[in-house]
Amino acid sequence: MGLFWFYVRRGYRVVRNEVLVLPSRVILGLFVMTLLFLPLFTQDAYTLRILILTSIFAILAASWDLLSGYTGQMNFGHALFFGVGAYTAALLNLYVHIPPWGSIPLGGMAAVLAGLVIGIPCLRLRGTYLALTTLAFPIILMGIIFALPGITGGELGVSGLTRLSHSRIWDYYITVGLMLILCTVMWKITDSNTGVIFHAIREDELAVRSAGINTTRYKLLAFSLSGFFAGISGGLYAHFMRIAGPSTLEVSMSFTVVIWAIFGGIVTIYGPVGAVFILFPMLEFFRFWPEYRTLMFAGVVLLILLYMPEGLLPWIRDKIEVQCPRCKIRNAALRKTCRICTASLD
């Protein structure tokens, strides 16, 4: 009992001293609590379905930011990782009868291999050439799938996969829980020394190489890590929808991921996640006006990109917080002095 109260007091101090001091952390805490307790207030199947798909695509968008946002390796074929994860999980489940808890991680590992296959030939490419080259890989894989209809199902895909669980509530908690854990892991990677090197490669790869750092190894690592997380999202999608089809590899999927990431703010991880939680439900809401749905969606995205070029979430953060000019610690915008070094924030 004493140990319990020890952790309660420790948690209270963390919340008071680390969370409540910044508005962005308060918003993040409310967001997480809302996701965790939402099923207590509504168990509507359609609402939970939207949030499950939103969580799956949030992992996918954050994985694109981990690669293209942090290292600058512009990947326009991110659907390849998603499709490889989905098809691998589906085929292992159907033909080898591996349950979802095994087939989904294996789908992620298959996407790691796909990341290495893409990364090695793309090491010397940059900018437009890299983007166009990565765009070709999902199309190549789609051609292979159409060429092997006996195994992959061809244009119809493969269906009849095992469900994630036997309850929509459990599906919700599995996908939301994995989204929170995996996005936290991605954020911790970008906050580590590895993330600093990723960022440095984006800014000036030649300078990083001249410092004795093997940039080739780190770029391949970025492709592999990004592929793993995207593959996990593909496996989750396949088991939730109980189908893996060519739509997971379409060019539109790759471009949608890029739109999500840029809309929310790249080089943040939380930006793409927030963008998916705004845009995906909003697109579903626009189904009430089907003839104007795409036009309204494009208009919203265009306005954000025109007036908030750094992304929506970094724009909001800069409005409610200010960075200390001396110690670079962020503070609530209402403060007059820094909470760490007491320097003036005016």
Side-chain angles (χ1 to χ4, degrees), residues 134-158:
T134 54
L135 183 61
F137 284 96
I139 300 172
I140 294 171
L141 181 58
M142 193 181 294
I144 295 173
I145 287 171
F146 289 157
L148 300 171
I151 300 174
T152 63
E155 296 181 359
L156 298 177
V158 288

Side-chain angles (χ1 to χ4, degrees), residues 44-311:
D44 178 64
Y46 179 70
T47 302
L48 294 181
R49 182 181 185 276
I50 295 299
L51 290 173
I52 288 169
L53 291 174
T54 303
S55 299
I56 292 172
F57 289 132
I59 300 172
L60 180 64
S63 69
W64 183 89
D65 194 29
L66 179 65
L67 170 63
S68 298
Y70 277 86
T71 68
Q73 305 296 300
M74 194 54 65
N75 182 9
F76 276 6
H78 206 61
L80 174 74
F81 301 140
F82 189 73
V84 166
Y87 268 99
T88 302
L91 295 178
L92 288 175
N93 182 251
L94 284 177
Y95 297 122
V96 192
H97 305 296
I98 296 178
W101 59 264
S103 62
I104 292 174
L106 290 174
M109 295 306 298
V112 170
L113 294 178
L116 293 175
V117 170
I118 287 184
I120 291 173
C122 293
L123 287 174
R124 296 183 181 278
L125 299 175
R126 291 183 180 83
T128 308
Y129 300 101
L130 175 63
L132 292 177
T133 303
T134 54
L135 183 61
F137 284 96
I139 300 172
I140 294 171
L141 181 58
M142 193 181 294
I144 295 173
I145 287 171
F146 289 157
L148 300 171
I151 300 174
T152 63
E155 296 181 359
L156 298 177
V158 288
S159 58
L161 277 65
T162 306
R163 297 179 186 276
L164 280 176
S165 72
H166 295 292
S167 162
R168 182 58 61 88
I169 299 291
W170 277 109
D171 286 349
Y172 173 82
Y173 277 117
I174 289 171
T175 51
V176 168
L178 279 175
M179 183 273 294
L180 293 174
I181 293 171
L182 295 180
C183 290
T184 303
V185 170
M186 281 188 265
W187 179 76
K188 292 298 289 183
I189 290 173
T190 60
D191 199 39
S192 66
N193 291 335
T194 301
V196 172
I197 295 174
F198 284 171
H199 207 150
I201 290 173
R202 171 193 171 92
E203 297 299 323
D204 193 340
E205 184 179 346
L206 187 59
V208 177
R209 197 181 302 164
S210 64
I213 296 173
N214 188 338
T215 58
T216 299
R217 187 176 65 183
Y218 279 95
K219 286 196 288 186
L220 286 177
L221 177 63
F223 269 105
S224 301
L225 288 172
S226 178
F228 176 74
F229 293 114
I232 293 289
S233 67
L236 285 170
Y237 179 84
H239 277 285
F240 175 67
M241 300 298 289
R242 303 189 69 199
I243 185 171
S247 62
T248 58
L249 292 163
E250 287 180 347
V251 175
S252 60
M253 172 67 79
S254 295
F255 282 108
T256 303
V257 174
V258 178
I259 291 172
W260 283 332
I262 295 176
F263 179 93
I266 60 173
V267 201
T268 57
I269 294 297
Y270 63 82
V273 174
V276 178
F277 272 87
I278 295 171
L279 292 179
F280 191 78
M282 185 179 73
L283 197 58
E284 288 296 319
F285 177 73
F286 285 162
R287 285 185 187 277
F288 289 107
W289 304 278
E291 61 273 23
Y292 303 112
R293 181 174 178 237
T294 305
L295 180 63
M296 288 191 289
F297 177 78
V300 171
V301 173
L302 185 62
L303 286 175
I304 293 296
L305 296 183
L306 279 175
Y307 295 101
M308 304 171 191
E310 299 297 324

